[in-house]
Amino acid sequence: MELAIIIAVVVVALVFDYTNGFHDAANAIATSVSTGALTPRIALAMAAVMNFVGAFLGQKVAQTVSDTIDPGTGTPGLVIVMAGLVGAITWNMITWYYGLPSSSSHALIGGLVGAALAAGATANWSVVLEKVVIPMLLSPLVAFSLGFGVMIAIMWIFRNAHPAKANRGFKVAQTISAGAMALGHGLQDAQKTMGVIFLALLTGGIVTESDPLPLWVILAAATAISLGTWSGGWRIMRTLGRRIIALDPPRGFAAESVAASVLYTTAYVFEAPISTTHTITSAVMGVGATKRLSAVRWGVARSILTAWVLTFPAAGLAAALTYWFIALFLP
């Protein structure tokens, strides 16, 4: 029975990874598609491949995710992990339906913490605060500021360039920046699923805390997120690519470069599972604000901010309700 639950949790984790892929596919490619630098199909293919490769570039974020809660052992602990995943998937589906680029990462952490609290298990608040909440608040501010600053620098450096030639050059450059963004997305988000699967294996007694991450876990997470990316996320792509601000190639390049840099820094230096969605959205707003503040559609930005604020509690509540429902059938 316990082995069956472990398998079920792994399957649900990979379903979450798949939804993460199509929910967050827009992060890597929306700016490139909206500026005409890449066609949607080529952009999706590149993003899927780079997501897969990025999943193999580190495991620090996976470790942080597996440390966010201590669900205990055996079937009760596995049910907590399962409920956390269901809560995250539920919020992902709601925000995807309404085209809101919310954070799959924070939905996952919120779901795990919500399920743990509902079950009376331990949430490691120091990890949640230092590695999740503080980076969650700082990364959008950093991305917005860097996006604004980098775009100002680009405008000054290329102030005498011929607009048509500059645009062509930045369309080529966007191919590189979009690839870097997709690689960072795989580095960050595939690891979150790896962390949850490792947590489930640890809870079920399959591995010990000192064991390395099994290769099949890395392969499965990388495959699921890349397949999800390939399936696309057109609703959210429209929000990022057009509804916030109509981007041109230089601004698209600046936004993607800044977002990718923030993703790599937080993964390798701070081991923090930050939101790729928050990061690229804030960078897009930052580069857009260099036109003029009114160029950014702040009404859309307000809706996105609302989704950000609601993600933790909403995913946590969905996870708690799921746990209480499953608990009715537990002996």
Side-chain angles (χ1 to χ4, degrees):
M1 179 61 157
E2 198 165 285
L3 180 60
I5 296 176
I6 292 173
I7 293 171
V9 171
V10 170
V11 170
V12 173
L14 293 176
V15 169
F16 166 78
D17 204 22
Y18 180 85
T19 66
N20 190 346
F22 77 70
H23 189 276
D24 290 1
N27 293 345
I29 62 175
T31 52
S32 297
V33 172
S34 68
T35 61
L38 296 170
T39 66
R41 191 59 57 191
I42 291 175
L44 276 174
M46 183 186 70
V49 170
M50 298 302 275
N51 267 254
F52 186 87
V53 174
F56 289 86
L57 297 183
Q59 298 175 10
K60 298 291 189 181
V61 171
Q63 180 66 47
T64 297
V65 171
S66 66
D67 288 344
T68 52
I69 64 170
D70 181 8
T73 58
T75 300
L78 289 168
V79 170
I80 291 172
V81 179
M82 171 76 83
L85 286 165
V86 172
I89 292 170
T90 301
W91 186 243
N92 265 1
M93 292 296 94
I94 292 171
T95 50
W96 169 80
Y97 180 80
Y98 288 103
L100 294 175
S102 70
S103 168
S104 296
S105 310
H106 296 151
L108 176 60
I109 303 297
L112 289 173
V113 171
L117 292 178
T122 303
N124 297 322
W125 293 110
S126 61
V127 175
V128 173
L129 179 64
E130 294 171 15
K131 295 292 181 74
V132 181
V133 175
I134 292 176
M136 176 188 76
L137 297 174
L138 291 181
S139 56
L141 296 175
V142 170
F144 183 95
S145 303
L146 285 178
F148 187 89
V150 168
M151 193 59 223
I152 290 293
I154 288 174
M155 290 165 66
W156 186 81
I157 293 169
F158 293 93
R159 64 191 183 281
N160 296 322
H162 189 279
K165 285 185 178 179
N167 276 347
R168 282 197 298 271
F170 277 108
K171 279 186 178 183
V172 174
Q174 265 200 279
T175 306
I176 299 170
S177 61
M181 179 68 201
L183 195 70
H185 180 242
L187 171 67
Q188 274 277 351
D189 285 41
Q191 282 194 63
K192 291 155 192 169
T193 299
M194 296 176 206
V196 174
I197 293 176
F198 188 82
L199 180 62
L201 297 176
L202 186 64
T203 304
I206 304 295
V207 298
T208 64
E209 204 162 331
S210 59
D211 286 342
L213 199 62
L215 180 61
W216 70 265
V217 173
I218 301 173
L219 275 170
T223 302
I225 199 168
S226 60
L227 288 175
T229 300
W230 176 248
S231 68
W234 305 108
R235 290 173 183 267
I236 295 169
M237 191 184 301
R238 180 170 171 268
T239 299
L240 269 181
R242 288 294 178 191
R243 286 180 60 203
I244 296 176
I245 184 170
L247 291 171
D248 52 27
R251 286 180 171 80
F253 169 78
E256 289 169 342
S257 300
V258 163
S261 300
V262 174
L263 291 178
Y264 296 141
T265 302
T266 50
Y268 287 121
V269 178
F270 300 106
E271 303 172 12
I274 69 160
S275 168
T276 54
T277 308
H278 289 199
T279 306
I280 186 63
T281 306
S282 300
V284 167
M285 291 180 187
V287 301
T290 59
K291 280 187 174 180
R292 59 186 185 283
L293 286 177
S294 60
V296 179
R297 298 183 180 98
W298 296 107
V300 176
R302 196 179 305 116
S303 299
I304 294 169
L305 182 62
T306 301
W308 289 0
V309 172
L310 290 177
T311 294
F312 253 87
L317 177 60
L321 293 173
T322 301
Y323 176 82
W324 288 326
F325 176 77
I326 298 175
L328 295 175
F329 302 98
L330 293 177

